[in-house]
Amino acid sequence: MPFIIFALLTLTCARASDHDLQHLPKPFAFRDSKAVFADFEEALYEVTYDINTRQAVAKTQIRFLTIEAGYPVFDSVKDPTTLSLDGKPVTASLTRTPGQETSVRVIERLTAPGMHQLDLTLPLTDLVEFRQDGVKSAFWTSDLEERRFLERYLPANLEFDQVKMTLILRFKGLTSEQTLYTNGVVHRFDAQTYEIRYPSHFTSSSIFFHTAPKGLYPELRFGLRSIDGRELPVVLYTNGGVFSSSLERLKDRVTSVISELERDYGPFPHPSITVYLAGAGGMEYCGATMTDMSAVGHELFHSYFARGMMPANGNAGWVDEALASWRDDGYQAIGSLSGSTGMSSHPYYTRSTDRAAYSFGERFMSYLDGKTRSKGGLKPFMRHLVATRIFRPFHIEEFIGWMGEYYQASFVEDFKRYTYGTRSFESALPVRASHEIHQKLHPEMLQSLL
Ligand SMILES: [Zn+2]
């Protein structure tokens, strides 16, 4: 029904989700039809931490759009305990994608294109720790393994999709106070009830969320003047012990890094800065990071590239790690490059980032910088991207096209040769320090950082 699709497209473009439809993964064969990816318009999460029974439950309501008939796709690592589509109970099957890249949940109901509502409940058990005085809980993520974004904790879409998300928190039976560290707008109803609204450009890799009993972590709050005149609220906090004396040092580091980044790439793109000094590598979020002291620059750089210029899938995810590593090593330029990788050419539904980004990816950026030296190198292009295309998830092919437009030259052959290969030459290169920045943190390790 082309007319219906056209009407739906027109309707949704008006709602500014055209980027989502542009990056909607293609359907794959499923049952008698196909599994179709959806454009989530809005997700309402209601998480109840019951302090007395020491259990946490997440109720979720998602409104989504599909543009063709099929079995709708979503994801959650945990099995839903209740699930309904458009008010009627339904089941969902955990299904491998055709190239075995990843798993998603496919709703077992053939569904007409249009707006739909998914209601589901699931237990929240990962990174939750109940205590006498409250609860510790976080939604920390990783891009080095699949299914480690928001879907690890709550029902979510793949990373391409920008979703208006609201999180309601209920601390049932709480007799003391909780502190929330997050990159959304917090509204407190009472000591037991909060609402957090996240910007509508957020994806499954954007949210920083951490709550703990009040007073548990030493913290430092201050205002940082942006080059555009805004006073950015900054929250620095740490998990105590040897780190508690480091907050003043962290303040100096954050201040100097923001000044460097604003000079290079323009005003900080987020309305606040949250840094959790946890001491085990780092991970980036929109305007926030969990990090150690050595990775502060790398992680805040990601607020521009990764959580500002957002990858829409795994094959675009290496770009920001390559750029961050290139910055970490002082923006070096080289004239030639040998080797190749398949960083851009993993199977279609790949969700995680190729680790070659940190080593070969960095050298590839050095090579591109050398190649564009006569036009100022790569940094002016990066600044241009932040100014013109921030908060629009991209595929690698778009990035290559934008680069061609900016320099009035084609880079297709360079990317093909060095990032669309089949072999990884990473092992031939020395391991770089920045490779260790995003450590693969085991669940027990993350739990210890709560
Ligand atoms: Zn990184």
Side-chain angles (χ1 to χ4, degrees), residues 74-244:
F74 74 99
D75 200 19
S76 69
V77 170
K78 284 277 177 313
D79 287 323
T81 46
T82 69
L83 182 66
S84 75
L85 180 66
D86 299 328
K88 290 179 191 143
V90 71
T91 58
S93 300
L94 191 60
T95 305
R96 294 296 286 170
T97 49
Q100 305 296 313
E101 304 94 327
T102 187
S103 301
V104 291
R105 291 190 188 267
V106 184
I107 298 169
E108 295 278 5
R109 185 185 298 157
L110 195 52
T111 303
M115 287 301 303
H116 299 280
Q117 183 176 315
L118 185 65
D119 285 274
L120 60 165
T121 309
L122 46 77
L124 178 64
T125 54
D126 275 7
L127 297 185
V128 176
E129 185 187 318
F130 285 94
R131 301 158 49 99
Q132 286 290 340
D133 53 349
V135 60
K136 296 200 280 184
S137 173
F139 298 160
W140 292 326
T141 66
S142 167
D143 54 6
L144 295 177
E145 285 174 276
E146 54 130 7
R147 304 184 86 205
R148 283 290 177 268
F149 290 139
L150 189 60
E151 66 276 2
R152 181 176 173 191
Y153 310 94
L154 298 171
N157 208 347
L158 269 56
E159 201 184 7
F160 78 96
D161 197 11
Q162 298 181 296
V163 186
K164 186 176 171 225
M165 292 181 275
T166 303
L167 176 60
I168 307 275
L169 300 172
R170 296 186 197 285
F171 299 98
K172 197 176 159 193
L174 184 76
T175 52
S176 47
E177 299 261 325
Q178 288 280 132
T179 301
L180 306 186
Y181 301 101
T182 192
N183 52 0
V185 177
V186 179
H187 178 75
R188 177 185 156 131
F189 293 103
D190 54 49
Q192 288 87 36
T193 323
Y194 295 81
E195 179 192 79
I196 310 169
R197 287 178 183 273
Y198 294 100
S200 52
H201 58 254
F202 271 26
T203 72
S204 60
S205 60
S206 303
I207 289 181
F208 181 88
F209 171 75
H210 186 193
T211 182
K214 192 172 183 179
L216 193 65
Y217 300 118
E219 50 177 65
L220 186 59
R221 294 174 185 257
F222 59 98
L224 193 61
R225 185 68 62 187
S226 164
I227 48 166
D228 66 5
R230 281 173 306 161
E231 172 113 332
L232 294 166
V234 183
V235 182
L236 312 180
Y237 69 109
T238 181
N239 50 5
V242 293
F243 301 110
S244 57

Side-chain angles (χ1 to χ4, degrees), residues 284 298-299 302 321 324 358 438:
E284 69 273 10
H298 179 105
E299 300 306 339
H302 277 315
E321 292 304 352
Y358 299 99
H438 297 299

